[in-house]
Amino acid sequence: MTTNPIDLKSALDGFDAPWSPRIIAYLNDYDIRLARFHGEHVWHVHLETDEFFLVLDGEIAIGLREEDGERTVTLPRGSVFVVPRGTFHKPSSEHGAAVLLVEPTGTLSVGDAHDEVPEHVDVTTGHPVP
């Protein structure tokens, strides 16, 4: 990883694949990832970690399966949301979005348990940005 400033727009311009996060920096034992969202991800859960979302552009929805049932939170540009560990969730974006994610290094993009993964979702721990 670089020790120089990272321009988020340039990093986002470097890829267009949705659901294929890029690691732009490391913070202690955490990855700072950029991802493009478009369409639907997959229902999944991270058993040991929370997941942080910051919407840089566009709008996303996150379906949540909670004790009281299912609900959806909508995050417009500039919004932050944390999915608590152990909560099944399904991100989506109807028109596309750019999102910054913070997760422990090595966290799989489809969590520890998930529904069948569609072809358009990259099962990865993130791809380093050159």
Side-chain angles (χ1 to χ4, degrees), residues 1-11 23-26 34 129:
M1 260 317 114
T2 182
T3 57
N4 293 316
I6 298 165
D7 180 76
L8 295 180
K9 181 178 180 333
S10 294
I23 301 168
I24 59 165
Y26 298 102
L34 287 179
V129 170

Side-chain angles (χ1 to χ4, degrees), residues 38-81:
H38 195 262
E40 294 187 351
H41 197 267
V42 61
W43 281 103
H44 66 284
V45 63
H46 303 281
L47 297 174
E48 301 298 324
T49 186
D50 302 333
E51 187 171 15
F52 174 91
F53 296 81
L54 166 60
V55 180
L56 301 173
D57 193 28
E59 180 177 278
I60 69 171
I62 303 175
L64 301 164
R65 290 181 179 158
E66 300 172 313
E67 287 183 25
D68 296 338
E70 285 188 15
R71 72 179 174 120
T72 300
V73 295
T74 301
L75 305 174
R77 180 177 167 216
S79 296
V80 169
F81 187 75

Side-chain angles (χ1 to χ4, degrees), residues 49-121:
T49 186
D50 302 333
E51 187 171 15
F52 174 91
F53 296 81
L54 166 60
V55 180
L56 301 173
D57 193 28
E59 180 177 278
I60 69 171
I62 303 175
L64 301 164
R65 290 181 179 158
E66 300 172 313
E67 287 183 25
D68 296 338
E70 285 188 15
R71 72 179 174 120
T72 300
V73 295
T74 301
L75 305 174
R77 180 177 167 216
S79 296
V80 169
F81 187 75
V82 175
V83 174
R85 73 189 68 198
T87 302
F88 268 91
H89 57 288
K90 181 180 184 178
S92 64
S93 179
E94 183 177 350
H95 301 290
V99 180
L100 185 138
L101 304 154
V102 179
E103 300 177 294
T105 297
T107 299
L108 199 58
S109 61
V110 294
D112 302 305
H114 51 78
D115 287 351
E116 184 175 337
V117 179
E119 286 186 25
H120 69 274
V121 173

